Structure formats: structure tokens, C-alpha cells
């Protein structure tokens, strides 16, 4: 049984009323806006009252963005870089404040929150340093050598709408806005209301770093209320969330002939080969399955393991410390909202009723807090069970033994999703060969997800029902730009010189 920590009785001192009031004042909403109250997952206690934006508020935010973006687009790359690097420094200097915020709003452990701090610091530094080269004019081969000078330019799209989720409130909010801003766009963002304070903290810090007013704004509200206004005003849509919502956004963006980038669901697989380091693979499996209580798009929900690792993995899970603490003493925290607890509970109960075996966990822990659920491992999972091929998005993993690696690869690929995967082997060559056969946008060898996610110079995204487009790397900023080809024809055009027939003048 995991080690338990008693529930917290209050919020950390850094989450004081003046801070919350300052941050909520940055929401683009009317002074008399309707208010909505969020609750702390650890305890269920009220956390913050937030203003709700209307479609008219969204329209007004884009109107303010038009003037701001025109000036921002002609701001030198050097000045944009300075702002991002100042933001990088401020994130690290003030990390304790945002760590408290993330834990209070999402219920995750401090170590999971800290990964978001490092992620955003790395992202800001990478695009500050890389964007000048990636966005600089590029010489291209001309139509006629020496006579045609062709240059590719990159212009900002203009107005980017970012819709970010609750599960990684700093990484998903700031991480997608940073390259859009660096490319010269204005951003109007709708973070999830449950974790909006964290997103607003990032916005506040970016303004402290020197970002002009109006270039990055935030609105709050349900997608059913303000999503249409975001789509109507945007030149590009960046969305992270469910596959069902992503399909609707892709359809609407297609109707408007604007681009979109969508990171959606996953049913990610981990393969532990027969030559894996068992101790290392067992530790890696824990890190793969239960970060942020399993509420991570790239976490592992299916494990295909050589029979040798099975018992060790189960034993390691039983050592996990579950609970609430504003320090680094817990391994697994709380789910974030009641809907996720309902989904996790329903998936496990359905599986057990249909014959699945609970190897570890398998139940909610209301004694620790209203939304805690034990890290759970299930065996004997079959296709008739809901969680077999549907994303659970919680601390639940199904384990399947295998003997033939080709069969394991085929079973791992038997899903409409294709976001992330993990392969474990003592042979790097063998691990990479298996990885190349998996249908997933990122595959990690001897790591869970951090190696691919942290390789920020490489693209990250999904295949199939896991989405369209990529974040990170060159793709992560170029998608926010419009390429323009400028071709300067010099000396001689495409018509033949005087006295030369068309038949004798095929330029090549």
C-alpha cells in the first residue's frame, strides 16, 4: 500500500488575496462580469473568484491586439529576445510562488510542478536564442542560376488564439504563447478556468519582463460560450485538449481557411524488452505512468512487458507516497477535478466487473482528500473493457505480458492514437530499431517521456487521433508564420534574347 500523507488544512502563504486580485485583474472581461469560483483539489475549499469573459470581451481583446500587434511585428528581434530572456530569469527567480500556485490549482506534487518551471525556462531560452536564425530571410535556389535571386521571408500570422488545458497550466499556457510572441504575433488565450491563476501569473511575469500591453491577453469562459469568438477573430488556432474538441476546431479552422495545431489524446504504450535493465525499467515505469496523477497527455497507460519485469514493477508501485504537501515529500498527488475522478473510477470499476485483476491500488482515497485515487495497475484487461482503448487520463495502467517483440509492437500500434511511446532495452541499437516501428510522434528509449519532450530542438506532437502539427523546434515557431517568396529576376528574363528563337531558348 502506498505511504499516505494527511490532507492539508489550508493554502500556502504565498497564495494571498493581493496576488490573486492582481492576477485576476488581467482577465479581459467587463468590470461587472459574472464570477466563477474555483476550488482547491487537495481539500475542495474555495480557491479564487474569477471573472467570466463574454464573446464581446473576446472581440474587444482582439481589437486591442490589432494595434499592439502592428507595433510588435516591427519590434526588433533583438528586443524580443531580451524580453524572453528576462522572462526566463524571472521564472527561475520566482519559482516558489508559481510552484505553490500550480499545486493549489491542480493538486499535483511539487516535483511534477517543478518540471513545468524547468520546461518554460528552457522553452523561453531556446526560442530567444533560436528564433533570430529560424526567422531570418533564407536564400533559395533561383529559377535561373545567377539571374534569379530568390529569398524566403517569414511574416507573423497576426493573431493567434491559444486554448490551453488544466493539467499542465504553466507549460501549456506559456509554452505555446512564447514562440507565437517571438514570431511577432499577438496572442489571445483561453486557459482552463480551473488553473487560470497559473496562466495569468505567466502573463503578469511576461509584462514585468517588458512585453507591451495588448500583445498577450487572456479571456476566461467555457468553449461553448467564447470559442466561436476566438475562432472568428484568429488567424491561427493552437489547441491542447480532447480529440473530440480538436476535431471540431479543425473543422471550423478549415471553414475559415486558417491553420491549426492540435495536441490531442493518447493511449500511450511502453515496451519492456527481454534484455531490459529490470530495476531501471521498473523505476522508469513509475515515472511514465503516474506523473501528475496520470493526467499527462504523454504518460503511459499500456505496458507490454517481458514476463521478467512484472513482479518488480508491482513492488515498486507499492512504495509510492501519495498525498498532499507543498514540498517534495510526495510521489503522487491528487486528481484535479471531479470529472476526472468519475472517469477513473468508472474505468476501473468497468474493468474489474468484466474480469480485470487489480494488482495494485484500485480505489479512491477520500481520507486523503476529495479527489485522490491510488496508483493502479490492472492485469487481464480485454478489448471489451472501456479502458482497453479509451484514454483514462488518470493514475491507471494496464499491464500485458509478451514473449514475441513483433507481437508487442503490433499490439502497441493497435490504436487510433499515436502521441508518445517508450521502449526499454540494454541495447540502444535494438531499442531504437523497435522505436522506429512504433506509430507515435515521440518515442523514448530507456526513458518515459522527458527525453523526447525535453529535446526542445526536435518536433513534438501526435499522429492519427493524437493531433495535427507540432510544437518545439523549428516547427514550433514556423507554424506561427506565413512564408513569402520574393524572386528578383536580373539582367535577362524568361523571353529569349533578340535573334534567338523560342525553340532554341529553353532556360534550364
Amino acid at each position: 500500500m502506498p505511504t499516505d500523507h494527511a490532507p492539508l488544512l489550508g493554502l500556502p502563504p504565498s497564495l494571498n488575496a493581493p496576488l490573486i486580485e492582481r492576477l485576476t485583474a488581467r482577465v479581459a472581461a467587463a468590470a461587472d462580469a459574472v464570477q466563477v469560483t474555483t476550488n482547491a483539489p487537495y481539500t475542495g475549499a474555495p480557491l479564487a473568484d474569477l471573472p467570466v469573459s463574454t464573446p464581446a470581451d473576446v472581440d474587444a481583446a482582439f481589437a486591442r491586439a490589432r494595434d499592439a500587434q502592428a507595433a510588435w511585428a516591427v519590434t526588433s528581434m533583438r528586443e524580443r529576445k531580451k524580453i524572453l530572456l528576462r522572462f526566463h530569469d524571472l521564472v527561475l527567480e520566482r519559482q516558489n510562488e508559481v510552484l505553490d500556485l500550480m499545486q493549489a490549482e491542480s493538486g499535483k506534487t511539487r516535483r511534477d510542478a517543478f518540471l513545468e518551471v524547468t520546461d518554460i525556462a528552457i522553452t523561453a531560452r531556446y526560442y530567444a536564442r533560436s528564433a533570430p536564425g529560424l526567422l531570418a530571410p533564407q536564400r533559395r535556389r533561383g529559377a535561373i542560376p545567377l539571374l534569379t535571386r530568390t529569398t524566403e521571408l517569414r511574416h507573423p500570422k497576426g493573431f493567434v488564439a491559444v486554448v490551453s488545458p488544466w493539467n499542465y497550466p504553466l507549460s501549456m499556457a506559456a509554452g505555446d504563447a512564447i514562440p507565437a510572441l517571438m514570431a511577432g504575433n499577438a496572442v489571445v488565450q483561453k486557459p482552463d478556468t480551473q488553473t487560470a491563476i497559473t496562466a495569468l501569473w505567466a502573463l503578469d511575469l511576461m509584462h514585468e519582463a517588458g512585453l507591451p500591453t495588448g500583445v498577450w491577453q487572456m479571456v476566461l469562459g467555457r468553449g461553448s460560450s467564447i470559442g466561436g469568438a476566438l475562432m472568428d477573430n484568429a488567424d491561427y488556432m493552437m489547441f491542447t485538449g480532447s480529440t473530440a474538441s480538436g476535431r471540431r476546431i479543425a473543422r471550423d479552422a478549415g471553414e475559415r481557411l486558417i491553420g491549426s495545431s492540435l495536441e490531442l489524446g493518447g493511449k500511450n504504450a511502453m515496451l519492456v524488452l527481454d534484455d531490459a535493465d529490470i530495476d531501471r525499467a521498473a523505476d522508469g515505469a513509475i515515472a511514465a505512468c503516474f506523473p501528475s496523477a496520470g493526467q499527462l497527455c504523454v504518460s503511459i497507460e499500456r505496458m507490454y512487458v517481458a514476463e521478467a519485469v512484472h513482479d518488480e514493477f508491482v513492488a515498486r508501485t507499492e512504495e509510492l507516497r501519495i498525498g498532499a504537501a507543498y514540498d517534495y515529500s510526495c510521489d503522487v498527488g491528487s486528481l484535479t477535478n471531479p470529472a476526472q475522478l468519475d472517469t477513473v473510477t468508472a474505468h476501473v470499476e468497468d474493468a474489474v466487473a468484466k474480469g480485470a485483476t487489480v494488482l495494485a491500488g484500485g480505489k479512491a482515497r477520500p481520507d486523503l482528500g476529495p479527489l485522490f485515487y491510488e496508483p493502479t495497475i490492472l492485469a487481464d484487461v480485454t478489448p471489451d473493457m472501456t479502458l482497453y482503448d479509451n484514454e483514462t487520463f488518470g493514475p491507471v495502467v494496464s499491464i500485458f505480458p509478451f514473449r514475441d517483440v513483433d507481437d508487442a509492437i503490433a499490439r502497441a500500434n493497435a490504436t487510433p492514437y499515436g502521441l508518445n511511446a517508450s521502449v526499454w532495452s540494454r541495447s540502444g541499437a535494438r531499442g531504437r530499431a523497435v522505436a522506429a516501428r512504433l506509430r507515435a510522434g515521440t518515442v523514448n528509449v530507456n526513458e518515459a517521456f522527458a527525453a523526447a519532450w525535453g529535446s526542445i530542438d526536435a518536433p513534438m506532437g501526435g499522429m492519427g487521433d493524437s493531433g495535427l502539427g507540432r510544437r518545439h523546434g523549428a516547427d514550433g515557431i514556423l507554424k506561427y508564420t506565413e512564408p513569402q517568396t520574393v524572386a528578383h529576376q536580373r539582367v535577362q528574363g524568361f523571353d529569349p534574347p533578340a535573334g534567338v528563337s523560342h525553340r532554341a531558348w529553353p532556360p534550364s
Side-chain angles (χ1 to χ4, degrees):
M1 185 66 62
T3 303
D4 303 336
H5 282 243
L8 296 175
L9 299 178
L11 297 173
S14 61
L15 269 70
N16 53 62
L19 172 66
I20 292 177
E21 289 174 7
R22 187 180 87 238
L23 297 180
T24 55
R26 288 203 173 275
V27 178
D32 59 349
V34 173
Q35 302 281 309
V36 63
T37 301
T38 59
N39 297 307
Y42 280 159
T43 63
L47 180 60
D49 293 324
L50 297 161
V52 178
S53 306
T54 64
D57 294 325
V58 176
D59 292 341
F62 275 98
R64 289 189 294 272
R66 284 183 175 84
D67 290 336
Q69 193 273 331
W72 180 243
V74 296
T75 299
S76 70
M77 193 63 66
R78 182 178 180 182
E79 181 58 28
R80 292 184 217 166
K81 176 178 178 178
K82 286 181 180 179
I83 292 170
L84 271 196
L85 291 178
R86 283 197 292 267
F87 175 75
H88 163 277
D89 293 344
L90 288 170
V91 167
L92 295 179
E93 289 171 11
R94 305 255 284 276
Q95 62 179 276
N96 285 332
E97 188 174 89
V98 75
L99 289 171
D100 288 346
L101 279 174
M102 280 189 277
Q103 288 194 267
E105 288 194 300
S106 71
K108 64 177 61 189
T109 65
R110 203 163 190 85
R111 65 182 61 186
D112 289 329
F114 180 70
L115 290 178
E116 297 198 52
V117 170
T118 58
D119 175 48
I120 289 308
I122 291 169
T123 300
R125 195 169 188 83
Y126 172 79
Y127 283 113
R129 291 185 166 183
S130 300
L134 292 171
L135 301 179
Q138 303 291 324
R139 288 290 299 273
R140 301 301 182 196
R141 185 177 299 158
I144 302 176
L146 302 179
L147 300 184
T148 310
R149 179 189 177 97
T150 302
T151 306
E152 178 188 338
L153 305 179
R154 288 282 173 172
H155 300 284
K157 290 280 188 181
F159 310 106
V160 174
V162 176
V163 179
S164 53
W166 46 263
N167 60 321
Y168 273 71
L170 183 62
S171 283
M172 297 292 98
D176 288 323
I178 283 169
L181 295 169
M182 194 64 191
N185 299 282
V187 173
V188 177
Q189 183 162 6
K190 189 191 88 64
D192 189 276
T193 302
Q194 172 60 35
T195 52
I197 298 295
T198 299
L200 290 164
W201 180 89
L203 173 62
D204 190 65
L205 214 65
M206 191 70 83
H207 279 279
E208 186 175 334
L211 188 72
T213 300
V215 175
W216 186 14
Q217 300 174 74
M218 290 193 183
V219 294
L220 295 181
R222 300 182 67 86
S224 57
S225 172
I226 62 175
L230 284 167
M231 179 63 72
D232 290 344
N233 285 282
D235 297 314
Y236 192 88
M237 289 292 301
M238 177 65 220
F239 172 80
T240 304
S242 72
T243 297
S245 296
R247 291 187 193 280
R248 291 193 295 270
I249 288 173
R251 178 199 63 205
D252 293 344
E255 285 290 328
R256 288 204 55 228
L257 296 179
I258 65 171
S260 63
S261 185
L262 315 168
E263 189 200 287
L264 309 177
K267 193 69 178 177
N268 308 305
M270 176 173 172
L271 280 65
V272 182
L273 308 187
D274 56 8
D275 65 340
D277 180 322
I278 301 304
D279 288 339
R280 187 178 176 192
D283 289 339
I286 299 301
C289 300
F290 306 125
S292 294
Q295 300 169 124
L296 171 61
C297 55
V298 293
S299 67
I300 298 299
E301 294 197 7
R302 299 178 293 147
M303 283 188 61
Y304 299 92
V305 300
E307 295 173 353
V309 76
H310 176 276
D311 293 343
E312 182 70 19
F313 174 54
V314 174
R316 295 293 177 88
T317 305
E318 294 176 345
E319 298 171 0
L320 292 175
R321 298 164 297 178
I322 178 173
Y326 286 98
D327 57 31
Y328 292 91
S329 61
C330 292
D331 300 308
V332 181
S334 170
L335 293 166
T336 301
N337 56 64
Q340 282 310 116
L341 178 62
D342 292 344
T343 296
V344 171
T345 302
H347 279 202
V348 174
E349 290 180 350
D350 170 79
V352 171
K354 294 174 180 175
T357 301
V358 177
L359 301 179
K363 61 181 183 294
R365 294 295 304 275
D367 55 312
L368 298 178
L371 301 177
F372 282 89
Y373 199 95
E374 290 182 340
T376 298
I377 307 172
L378 300 177
D380 306 313
V381 173
T382 55
D384 61 322
M385 300 173 187
T386 302
L387 59 66
Y388 180 83
D389 54 11
N390 290 288
E391 185 178 33
T392 302
F393 215 63
V396 180
V397 61
S398 303
I399 189 166
F400 305 90
F402 75 86
R403 293 182 179 177
D404 180 73
V405 69
D406 291 331
D407 176 59
I409 292 169
R411 292 162 70 186
N413 285 338
T415 173
Y417 295 110
L419 188 57
N420 182 56
S422 177
V423 179
W424 294 76
S425 171
R426 290 182 188 271
S427 168
R430 186 186 184 204
R432 292 192 300 273
V434 170
R437 297 173 62 189
L438 294 176
R439 185 174 175 271
T442 56
V443 186
N444 301 260
V445 177
N446 292 337
E447 224 289 317
F449 56 82
W453 181 274
S455 298
I456 196 165
D457 192 41
M460 186 275 158
M463 301 178 182
D465 284 3
S466 289
L468 301 170
R470 295 293 185 268
R471 57 165 57 97
H472 294 175
D475 294 44
I477 191 168
L478 294 181
K479 68 184 181 184
Y480 294 126
T481 66
E482 292 283 7
Q484 180 187 45
T485 297
V486 175
H488 173 201
Q489 190 65 25
R490 298 177 292 187
V491 184
Q492 176 64 49
F494 285 82
D495 290 331
V500 178
S501 68
H502 281 279
R503 182 180 295 276
W505 175 249
S508 60

